[in-house]
Amino acid sequence: REKLMAIVNVFPSSPSAPTARRIVGQMNLDEILSSGFLEGKTHYEVKRGDSYFAIADRQDTSLDMLMHLNGMMELQNLKPGDDLEILHLNFRLLIEPQRKAISLWEGARFICEYPVMKISGLMPNSGKTVIASRRATIDGRNVPPTEKDYRTTSKSIQFKNPPLQILPFDEIDEAPPSGLFLSVPDIEELFLLTRTGNEVEIRNPKR
């Protein structure tokens, strides 16, 4: 992993860099998304009056990640003393339109990268912003994680100023909205790894 990371960090333009990023990303995500890998994760003991929404907000995580790590297909009744595995989602996104890539970082540590399948509309200049909202919809209707249809929803991520968004790629959409498009599996995974408030850097140097 150290040799692959050297390629990612020191020789990012190397012909071997895309392969190195893919392999390192898969290794990192296998660990991050495994409930059996405890590094970087904490445990939370449920207290009287707690709710899933309040716990997710206080612990800088999301309902999606709480459900994933704790093996829940739907939200269950909480009882004082229940133990929840927590992953604090303090990653940042780096968007590079010229490379058609979106990468996830933890401080200076590379986590993973997703190829952008399509870019629609004008991309903003370089700058920083945050995730303003994350939406799960069916036929344009917002669906909360508490509904049984949540797992079949279309996920999207919206930024605050500039109002850019990440959307699932649809080959038959003849007039797509403005944004960056990822494959459905990739945006599902990115949605799981992010929360409202995550930092976003857009690196789009002028030609």
Side-chain angles (χ1 to χ4, degrees):
R1 190 189 306 223
E2 290 181 2
K3 292 180 180 179
L4 290 169
M5 283 306 303
I7 295 174
V8 171
N9 293 326
V10 183
F11 306 105
S13 301
S14 162
S16 302
T19 300
R21 283 191 288 266
R22 179 178 56 80
I23 295 172
V24 171
Q26 190 58 59
M27 294 169 67
N28 289 338
L29 292 179
D30 284 347
E31 294 175 347
I32 288 170
L33 297 177
S34 170
S35 60
F37 186 82
L38 300 181
E39 185 178 334
K41 302 182 178 76
T42 60
H43 282 265
Y44 178 82
E45 183 178 328
V46 175
K47 301 173 179 59
R48 188 177 301 279
D50 272 341
S51 69
Y52 285 107
F53 291 95
I55 292 170
D57 185 58
R58 289 199 306 267
Q59 299 295 322
D60 287 341
T61 190
S62 67
L63 291 181
D64 301 86
M65 186 56 75
L66 279 177
M67 294 172 70
H68 173 82
L69 287 181
N70 294 281
M72 293 183 287
M73 296 298 292
E74 59 184 28
L75 295 179
Q76 305 161 358
N77 291 330
L78 283 176
K79 303 186 298 296
D82 283 350
D83 181 74
L84 294 175
E85 189 170 341
I86 301 288
L87 174 65
H88 307 289
L89 298 177
N90 293 320
F91 304 120
R92 67 180 177 89
L93 272 66
L94 173 61
I95 297 176
E96 299 174 273
Q98 288 188 359
R99 280 209 313 116
K100 290 191 173 181
I102 298 175
S103 52
L104 200 67
W105 297 74
E106 185 177 29
R109 177 194 172 208
F110 171 82
I111 300 297
C112 64
E113 182 173 281
Y114 300 100
V116 175
M117 300 187 69
K118 183 176 183 179
I119 297 177
S120 176
L122 294 175
M123 288 295 102
N125 294 328
S126 297
K128 294 184 178 180
T129 182
V130 297
I131 293 178
S133 63
R134 299 157 63 255
R135 294 175 188 162
T137 61
I138 295 178
D139 297 328
R141 177 179 68 88
N142 287 337
V143 179
T146 50
E147 288 195 16
K148 63 179 181 180
D149 293 333
Y150 182 76
R151 292 188 176 276
T152 62
T153 56
S154 174
K155 309 298 195 304
S156 61
I157 298 170
Q158 293 74 34
F159 303 147
K160 176 182 179 181
N161 193 24
L164 188 63
Q165 56 186 339
I166 303 175
L167 301 155
F169 179 68
D170 184 351
E171 292 186 19
I172 62 174
D173 194 345
E174 296 181 357
S178 178
L180 300 142
F181 291 80
L182 301 183
S183 70
V184 172
D186 282 352
I187 197 167
E188 287 275 354
E189 189 172 86
L190 185 61
F191 196 88
L192 178 62
L193 291 162
T194 56
R195 61 175 175 83
T196 300
N198 279 141
E199 295 181 2
V200 180
E201 180 184 353
I202 300 169
R203 195 173 291 171
N204 191 24
K206 294 181 179 179
R207 299 186 180 220

